[in-house]
Amino acid sequence: RRARYQEIEFGTTGPNAPGTVDVVVLNPDLQIGTKTNGYTYAGAPQIAYIHPVGGLQTTSTAVTITGTGFQNGATVDIGGVACGSVSVPNPTTIQCIAGPSGAGPPVDVVVTNPDGQANTLAGGFTFFPGPTVSSVEPRTGQANATTAVTIRGTGFLNSPSAPTVQFGPAPTSLCTSLTFVDSTKLTCTTPVLGAMQVDVTVTNDMGGSGTIAGGFEYLAAPVID
């Protein structure tokens, strides 16, 4: 004879510590049926950290969230904006695309599992504006020599490292001895170039750049007949 099974609706489970438990059915005639490890109580997700810790306001940033208890189908909210293209390769990792967003620093990161349990990393992510460059002081220096300069603007970042400052089109023509003073001021030493006028570009380590066209001029040495 073929065995017959009946589906029983239990209603709502009670609270329990995370883990797998047996399911036991007790009939009125006191006969008992047990399903060993038949039900799993999932714990709430826990966020340990997010990488990177920030991105530009104007573009999207691929982020990886590390923690525990992440479930397939989890959603991520960063600063009130849903993270896109969410994937959960394993219970300790979530990958998604943050922004763009007009939100300022810092914002909360929230992971919500399909069962409604959630966890928040307060102030875990920062949306930064891109840098701008307003002036280079002094504006001129001798060709084939270095010059100590001060660069002013907005949105310069010092996390995790100072930005780069490029003189002219060559990517290797970088300012040396660069010092981050604050988000509006940098100091450095110009690279050695020939007589020419060049653009000056500041690029943050988290992306985004600002340029002042013709911001510095290398002057040729005077010619004496």
Side-chain angles (χ1 to χ4, degrees):
R1 298 174 57 184
R2 180 174 298 177
R4 298 179 61 189
Y5 298 91
Q6 181 177 2
E7 183 177 315
I8 301 175
E9 184 175 341
F10 289 97
T12 303
T13 60
N16 200 77
T20 302
V21 297
D22 297 344
V23 178
V24 180
V25 176
L26 175 63
N27 280 340
D29 61 5
L30 302 183
Q31 294 186 87
I32 296 176
T34 300
K35 173 65 174 179
T36 303
N37 296 328
Y39 188 80
T40 299
Y41 286 90
Q46 298 295 323
I47 304 173
Y49 56 88
I50 182 172
H51 179 80
V53 296
L56 290 176
Q57 291 179 345
T58 54
T59 60
S60 299
T61 303
V63 299
T64 298
I65 301 170
T66 302
T68 59
F70 302 148
Q71 300 175 8
N72 287 329
T75 60
V76 180
D77 183 285
I78 299 180
V81 178
C83 210
S85 303
V86 179
S87 65
V88 187
N90 56 65
T92 63
T93 305
I94 294 180
Q95 297 168 330
C96 64
I97 305 297
S101 172
V107 296
D108 295 345
V109 179
V110 182
V111 172
T112 304
N113 279 338
D115 61 8
Q117 296 187 93
N119 184 240
T120 299
L121 180 63
F125 193 84
T126 300
F127 286 103
F128 296 103
T132 65
V133 183
S134 58
S135 68
V136 180
E137 304 166 1
R139 295 192 67 254
T140 62
Q142 290 299 313
N144 302 313
T146 61
T147 302
V149 297
T150 297
I151 299 166
R152 299 184 185 275
T154 62
F156 303 151
L157 300 181
N158 194 35
S159 176
S161 62
T164 60
V165 180
Q166 179 178 321
F167 279 66
T172 56
S173 301
L174 298 179
C175 223
T176 58
S177 302
L178 190 146
T179 299
F180 175 90
V181 180
D182 57 40
S183 62
T184 66
K185 182 179 178 181
L186 304 170
T187 62
C188 67
T189 301
T190 65
V192 176
L193 296 175
M196 66 180 77
Q197 188 169 10
V198 297
D199 298 344
V200 179
T201 300
V202 174
T203 302
N204 284 331
D205 59 346
M206 290 185 182
S209 62
T211 299
I212 181 169
F216 188 82
E217 184 175 5
Y218 289 89
L219 301 176
V223 178
I224 301 176
D225 294 331

